[in-house]
Amino acid sequence: MHIAVEFQQVSRHFGGVRAVDEVSVQIMDGEFFSMLGPSGSGKTTCLRLIAGFEQASAGAIFIHGVSAQGLPPYRRDVNTVFQDYALFPHMNILDNVAYGLKVKGIGQAERYRQAEAALDMVALGGFGARKPGQMSGGQRQRVALARALVNQPRVLLLDEPLGALDLKLREQMQSELKALQKQLGITFIYVTHDQGEALSMSDRVAVFNQGKIEQIDTPKMLYSQPKTVFVADFVGTANVIRGALAEQITGAAQAFAVRPEQIRLGASTSEPQINGQVADIHYLGASSRLALQVSSGERVWVTLANDSAVIPAIGSALTVHWPKHSMVLLNETAS
Amino acid sequence: MSSPTQFPNQWMPLRRLSDLFWRQPKLLLLVLLLPPLAWFGIVYLGSLLALLWQSFYTFDDFTMAVTQQLTLANYQALFDAANYDVVLRTFVMACAVTLASAILGFPIAYYMARYAKGWQKGAMYVAVMLPMWASYIVKAYAWTVILAKGGVVYWFYNQLGLSSVIDALLALPSIGGNSLSTSNLGRFTVFTYIWLPFMILPIQASIERIPANLIQASADLGATPRQTFSTVILPLAFPGVVAGSIFTFSLTLGDYIIPQLIGPSGLYIGTMVYTMQGSIGNIPLAAAFTVVPVLIIALYLTIARRLGAFDAL
């Protein structure tokens, strides 16, 4: 398998701030690769480094084996779908989509034919004569996608492309994007702060924190085997237990995580267990989430299916346990 | 459950008034807009219409009196060779000044909008606007000295050993003359100097409104900087250029000081109006001359609109 994009010890400093701090990563050809992290974690800067809107302060970036050092955006075989679409307001939709072909000198008839085909692909055939201002957010998002894809890039960069859409539309676009990526077979590099989005769409996910990558893994491994405290906490909901409480349970001071849905009600002789008082209950529809306050002050989250057990009342004393194999030992930081 | 807060029901006229405005927002709008609208309607448009109306009055050459008899003679007179010459001379100068201002102003405006940050930006604003704080007459007179023979421009070119350049420029027909201060070149220089800020500021505002990611998107789609400039930046900044050119164009068309102080003899629309109105008292012809810039600007705006200058607004 070919490497589509490679970072070798890449850093990007803004003044004294290390937005990207010695990041190394290999993104494979044809992969749906997500960069996940909170705002300010460096994921968008990494995307901009690939697009060429930023220059690395140190390290090397290769796009399909070619060094991107000093290469301006218009000479890179990548295209970007921007967060707020960045459609040209003075051009109609067809001209927006045909723009990349136009600047490459492709004749009008041919570029309009290809642009129409790209619009058909995102289910916007016949909308070419409209102006961006006359389209809804979801439609503009599709136009931005068509405008990038019409150039047949080998790598498509997506910068939180669904961030401005409402939940239903976002879920629909997620499955469409995934299907499109499979159909076209090109590399998608997808930046998001939404862990659910990253887990549901990606082949692999890189979790960013403070300019560094904490873990690169498949969604399944990321969720079931987080390596650091940050990853366990950021990806899904986890009870991260550390310090004295961890020592009391496992006999060692190393932090560990246990997912709320792994925790069972009742005492156990063979499995780790903990006592506490029900401090809060969140009703979530299919399930409820209990906050169990333990004597040392920490809260442990417990997810219970609403159709099974009787939900304990707030204030009642409770003992819970969990299978040993569901505990994941965590490092404090990425090594 | 506590009972809802009771607002004191005292008689408070100001509160009643603000309550009324809150319930009737259109009333508030009317109260706020009526004075400025009346001012605009009566003082600006009213006087303009009065001017237009007077341009149809009759001026008697023998008695030097204006009668209210309506005629098209004043507009016909605009096409007399001498008067037409005045219009054409002013129009060509206004075009040249506008073009030069746009070419000089655009890079400055672009730098101010896209690159200047913090104190640098403030300093550039001050630098652009500072000349506007000084009296216009003082600046025009200062230029007569600067451009005169023995003035600082001549001295500078002499120091560089380039005085032959000035001589060559002044030898050119129609833009040249005896000295810089009596040539059309000098007049053009001063016009451009005086009106340039009026071009820079609207262009700067329009460039500032172009989202940075449009320029990035253009580069991302493979456009070279030159292509991005001509297909994204220029079309989106064009409303600013049009706004700026309306200033430089109409200000040049209507100016009557600079043509008197700098450059060769020969009347401009402004000086013509000044003469007709002041010395001769031919207000109808002066009014007809004043309508010319209004028509030219209206025509210009129509063409700009056809070219799509305001599509991005």
Side-chain angles (χ1 to χ4, degrees), chain B residues 180-230:
Chain B
L180 280 175
S181 61
T182 57
S183 67
N184 271 320
L185 182 65
R187 185 180 283 162
F188 163 80
T189 307
V190 177
F191 265 133
T192 307
Y193 160 81
I194 299 265
W195 305 138
L196 185 60
F198 293 91
M199 180 65 92
I200 293 175
L201 293 176
I203 299 181
Q204 189 261 349
S206 68
I207 294 175
E208 199 135 80
R209 282 215 312 268
I210 304 175
N213 67 7
L214 289 189
I215 293 162
Q216 286 171 357
S218 176
D220 185 75
L221 292 164
T224 59
R226 205 172 56 84
Q227 287 172 315
T228 299
F229 181 80
S230 61

Side-chain angles (χ1 to χ4, degrees), chain A residues 3-33:
Chain A
I3 297 168
V5 175
E6 181 169 15
F7 277 45
Q8 290 178 355
Q9 299 284 313
V10 172
S11 296
R12 176 68 174 109
H13 303 162
F14 296 105
V17 182
R18 295 175 175 195
V20 174
D21 193 6
E22 299 194 342
V23 163
S24 295
V25 62
Q26 292 181 339
I27 298 166
M28 298 299 159
D29 200 12
E31 188 174 29
F32 197 123
F33 189 90

Side-chain angles (χ1 to χ4, degrees), chain A residues 48 51 53 73-74 78-80 82 84 86-91 99-100 103-104 147 151, chain B residues 213-225 227-228 231-233 235-236 311-312:
Chain A
R48 294 170 61 80
F53 306 141
Y74 50 89
V78 299
N79 286 112
T80 308
F82 290 83
D84 46 5
L87 300 180
F88 303 120
H90 58 299
M91 298 180 196
Y99 185 81
V103 297
K104 285 183 194 75
R147 186 179 67 171
N151 304 293
Chain B
N213 67 7
L214 289 189
I215 293 162
Q216 286 171 357
S218 176
D220 185 75
L221 292 164
T224 59
Q227 287 172 315
T228 299
T231 54
V232 177
I233 296 168
L236 290 175
D311 286 5

Side-chain angles (χ1 to χ4, degrees), chain A residues 130-142:
Chain A
R130 295 205 191 177
K131 283 283 181 80
Q134 299 167 310
M135 310 283 272
S136 72
Q139 288 173 327
R140 273 183 256 180
Q141 183 53 64
R142 288 160 192 267

Side-chain angles (χ1 to χ4, degrees), chain A residues 10-335:
Chain A
V10 172
S11 296
R12 176 68 174 109
H13 303 162
F14 296 105
V17 182
R18 295 175 175 195
V20 174
D21 193 6
E22 299 194 342
V23 163
S24 295
V25 62
Q26 292 181 339
I27 298 166
M28 298 299 159
D29 200 12
E31 188 174 29
F32 197 123
F33 189 90
S34 287
M35 295 178 171
L36 173 68
S39 58
S41 61
K43 57 192 194 303
T44 297
T45 307
C46 276
L47 199 76
R48 294 170 61 80
L49 283 165
I50 303 170
F53 306 141
E54 303 280 352
Q55 296 291 309
S57 309
I61 298 171
F62 297 90
I63 301 171
H64 283 287
V66 181
S67 169
Q69 174 71 34
L71 215 56
Y74 50 89
R75 269 202 260 281
R76 298 186 183 204
D77 190 13
V78 299
N79 286 112
T80 308
V81 177
F82 290 83
Q83 183 171 14
D84 46 5
Y85 323 132
L87 300 180
F88 303 120
H90 58 299
M91 298 180 196
N92 67 23
I93 296 304
L94 194 63
D95 281 323
N96 259 286
V97 176
Y99 185 81
L101 304 172
K102 185 186 177 188
V103 297
K104 285 183 194 75
I106 293 169
Q108 180 167 316
E110 175 60 17
R111 66 173 188 260
Y112 279 173
R113 194 189 61 72
Q114 291 188 28
E116 290 279 10
L119 281 172
D120 279 340
M121 187 166 62
V122 296
L124 281 179
F127 281 78
R130 295 205 191 177
K131 283 283 181 80
Q134 299 167 310
M135 310 283 272
S136 72
Q139 288 173 327
R140 273 183 256 180
Q141 183 53 64
R142 288 160 192 267
V143 175
L145 195 60
R147 186 179 67 171
L149 289 174
V150 80
N151 304 293
Q152 300 181 313
R154 294 167 80 183
V155 178
L156 185 71
L157 310 174
L158 302 106
D159 183 11
E160 308 225 10
L162 310 181
L165 305 181
D166 60 55
L167 184 64
K168 277 276 176 218
L169 199 55
R170 198 155 65 214
E171 285 172 347
Q172 185 194 337
M173 282 299 287
Q174 282 173 17
S175 44
E176 283 183 25
L177 274 178
K178 182 70 195 159
L180 202 59
Q181 191 262 342
K182 276 230 172 82
Q183 176 199 332
L184 297 171
I186 63 177
T187 312
F188 274 35
I189 302 178
Y190 192 99
V191 161
T192 181
H193 64 268
D194 181 334
Q195 45 98 14
E197 202 166 277
L199 293 185
S200 71
M201 299 165 81
S202 318
D203 296 320
R204 282 193 307 156
V205 180
V207 182
F208 279 74
N209 182 32
Q210 295 182 341
K212 288 179 178 294
I213 293 181
E214 295 254 341
Q215 188 172 351
I216 304 173
D217 241 320
T218 61
K220 199 175 169 185
M221 288 299 284
L222 215 53
Y223 188 80
S224 61
Q225 299 292 324
K227 288 192 174 127
T228 66
V229 170
F230 179 83
V231 173
D233 203 37
F234 193 79
V235 179
T237 308
N239 294 299
V240 175
I241 293 165
R242 56 220 288 198
L245 188 61
E247 201 166 357
Q248 180 196 322
I249 295 169
T250 62
Q254 193 180 1
F256 69 88
V258 59
R259 297 284 178 194
E261 67 270 19
Q262 302 281 1
I263 300 180
R264 310 271 177 267
L265 295 186
S268 166
T269 48
S270 54
E271 310 278 22
Q273 63 174 26
I274 201 165
N275 305 313
Q277 205 176 21
V278 179
D280 208 352
I281 300 173
H282 295 172
Y283 179 74
L284 302 174
S287 61
S288 289
R289 189 172 289 164
L290 267 67
L292 190 68
Q293 183 122 27
V294 301
S295 54
S296 55
E298 284 110 321
R299 282 187 169 196
V300 175
W301 294 101
V302 182
T303 301
L304 296 173
N306 278 338
D307 59 353
S308 61
V310 180
I311 307 295
I314 290 180
S316 57
L318 196 64
T319 303
V320 295
H321 69 276
W322 56 85
K324 238 180 214 145
H325 65 78
S326 67
M327 290 163 59
V328 185
L329 292 177
L330 303 173
N331 297 317
E332 286 297 327
T333 53
S335 51

